[in-house]
């Protein structure tokens, strides 16, 4: 059984077999048969290595689809560069910094989630990644336009809140047959 409560609304539990287990400094990691990597520590920083191949999880780069970080304060440069199957990354509120090219070239990345303050992020931490969805606490002032720009999100400080164009959500008008047995229950049911 593997489980984690990140202190917010993010809880997960699953029954899976461990494929690999190892240590990198004071960070322990496990990779499971469902292609999930779980890295946890005691507020630890990742040891810096000189290339992606020097990290102990590199032999699993082609299969890891999601990574959960718990009580890890930093991700070293190049740590997960070029993980072709990586789709999702989840950071708990302890994450403070993400190094140069840490996730660069992760060609299938689609979701990155943070549960706390914005970390210090190297300009090229997510270089050569496709556009991905970024999730962060909206009421957290540390997520400034400058930080968001490092994730490829452009926002001007004076723009105010981002709201959808009202025209984007308008439904097309539909004509029902005269004998249809229909009634409007609410003006805005959805």
């Amino acid at each position: 059984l593997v489980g984690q409560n990140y202190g917010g609304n993010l809880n997960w539990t699953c029954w899976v077999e461990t494929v690999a287990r190892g240590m990198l400094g004071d960070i322990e990691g496990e990779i499971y048969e469902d292609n999930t990597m779980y890295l946890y520590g005691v507020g630890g920083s990742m040891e810096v290595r000189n290339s992606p191949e020097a990290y102990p999880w590199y032999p699993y780069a082609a299969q890891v689809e999601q990574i959960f970080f718990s009580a890890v304060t930093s991700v070293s440069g190049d740590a997960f560069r070029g993980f072709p199957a990586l789709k999702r990354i989840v950071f708990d509120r302890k994450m403070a910094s993400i190094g140069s090219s840490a996730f660069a070239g992760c060609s299938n990345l689609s979701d990155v989630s943070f549960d706390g303050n914005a970390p210090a992020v190297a300009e090229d931490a997510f270089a050569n990644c496709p556009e991905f969805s970024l999730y962060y606490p909206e009421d957290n002032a540390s997520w400034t336009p400058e930080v968001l720009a490092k994730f490829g999100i452009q926002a001007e400080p004076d723009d105010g809140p981002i709201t959808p164009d009202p025209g984007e959500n308008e439904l097309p008008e539909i004509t029902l047959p005269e004998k249809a047995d229909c009634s409007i229950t609410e003006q805005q049911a959805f």
Side-chain angles (χ1 to χ4, degrees):
L1 175 68
V2 179
Q4 179 64 37
N5 178 337
Y6 282 99
N9 294 328
L10 181 60
N11 295 302
W12 61 276
T13 303
C14 54
W15 293 94
V16 290
E17 293 293 321
T18 302
V19 172
R21 178 177 286 136
M23 295 285 294
L24 180 63
D26 57 354
I27 296 173
E28 193 167 344
E30 295 178 340
I31 299 173
Y32 302 103
E33 67 182 352
D34 68 348
N35 297 324
T36 298
M37 177 186 283
Y38 180 52
L39 295 172
Y40 49 96
V42 287
S45 295
M46 200 173 281
E47 285 181 11
V48 177
R49 302 290 171 104
N50 59 5
S51 73
E53 296 84 5
Y55 289 95
W57 46 76
Y58 184 77
Y60 304 95
Q63 72 189 61
V64 172
E65 294 178 7
Q66 53 186 354
I67 303 173
F68 291 87
F69 290 88
S70 179
V72 176
T73 59
S74 69
V75 176
S76 302
D78 293 323
F80 300 96
R81 181 168 43 104
F83 272 47
L86 186 59
K87 297 175 187 170
R88 181 176 181 216
I89 306 167
V90 178
F91 298 100
D92 73 354
R93 52 185 81 226
K94 299 274 188 186
M95 184 54 60
S97 67
I98 301 174
S100 178
S101 297
F103 297 98
C106 293
S107 57
N108 283 302
L109 190 59
S110 61
D111 295 308
V112 178
S113 301
F114 290 88
D115 192 30
N117 289 337
V121 180
E123 294 286 336
D124 62 347
F126 293 90
N128 301 315
C129 290
E131 283 190 25
F132 55 83
S133 296
L134 177 66
Y135 302 96
Y136 58 92
E138 67 179 25
D139 58 347
N140 187 313
S142 69
W143 289 92
T144 64
E146 293 78 22
V147 171
L148 294 174
K150 292 181 181 180
F151 290 95
I153 298 171
Q154 301 303 318
E156 295 297 323
D158 298 327
D159 279 352
I162 298 172
T163 55
D165 177 353
E168 290 179 7
N169 296 323
E170 289 180 11
L171 296 174
E173 195 172 305
I174 44 178
T175 305
L176 299 172
E178 288 182 31
K179 295 186 180 198
D181 185 17
C182 301
S183 61
I184 296 176
T185 56
E186 291 182 47
Q187 281 292 37
Q188 295 182 357
F190 295 96

